[in-house]
Amino acid sequence: MSIELKLSRINRVYRPSEVVEGKIIVRSSSSISHYGIRLAVNGSVNLQVRGGSAGVIETLVGVAKPISIVNKIIEVRPSGKIASGTSEIPFSMNIKQPGEKNLERFYETFHGANINIQYLLTVDISRGYLHKSLSTTMEFIVESDKADLLERPVSPEMVIFYLTQDTQRHPLLPELKSGGFRVIGKMSTQCCLSDPIVGELTVEASAVPICSIDMHLLRVESILLGEKIVTEQSLIQTTQIADGDVCRNMTLPIYVILPRLLTCPTVLAGPFSIEFKVAIVITFQSDVAKVHSKSDPTTPRLWLAMESLPLELVRTR
């Protein structure tokens, strides 16, 4: 005997004002009696703070109370029987009733290190005290309603950045410090989630051969725990811009596609915030680097030059 939820949309993406439709598929070798088929939708922001990688506290530091966004149950069918074989039971459910006042804003689905915004559908077929009820859960993805989106297009302005031995706040290899390097570039720092991050960079000079140029996409999650704000930064993805000792004065394109679920519009709410930034990291060829090949890519090292830029993510119409 098995139960499965199948949504009408393959990508499982819905807006709060839309109706979630699909079917409950029950496969059984014999007919089963039940006391009703119920469908629940649950959306919440789960906040927890893990111990930092500094090794001071390796356990869970604190769990803030989850923030409930939506919690409702509908009856799909009253008590009755399900025939043997495969039965398909259609359902439709409003995530948010028109005109309904919600306790919380419908934040977009997001899977982070400390913050999880998740929407779940759970079907439950109650079969009385003697039998275990049949149930299954499926995640669906929520994106902002069109009415709540920015009408204005994303600003086409680019931010100019440059990396030299003098812009680095950490110690560098002696040959880098004395010989110097200069890399300049520009990048969009406000970006629509459905578009790539674009820009360009040019290596004008470098005394030490370059090994690689990478762009790290980082999330900055902040949670209010009591009276303290705990902020943690973690890596989402790395995109290599160039490999090897690149030609000087050649323009290299920056083109980074944002991953779904791991990014969402920048959120600045009371109990929590989700922000993003990018770090451009240049790795120079060095014997020291070979020993530390497994080090965290965003930690300042003697053979690295880095520049961080804030990134505002938005969803537009």
Side-chain angles (χ1 to χ4, degrees), residues 63-78:
V63 178
K65 218 169 100 202
I67 299 164
S68 180
I69 298 170
V70 60
N71 199 339
K72 54 163 69 170
I73 298 171
I74 61 159
E75 188 171 67
V76 180
R77 280 211 180 156

Side-chain angles (χ1 to χ4, degrees), residues 203 205-213 242-248 283-285:
V203 178
S206 178
V208 176
I210 290 169
C211 178
S212 173
I213 301 174
D243 184 27
D245 194 22
V246 295
C247 299
R248 307 299 184 250
T283 309
F284 295 95
Q285 289 178 24

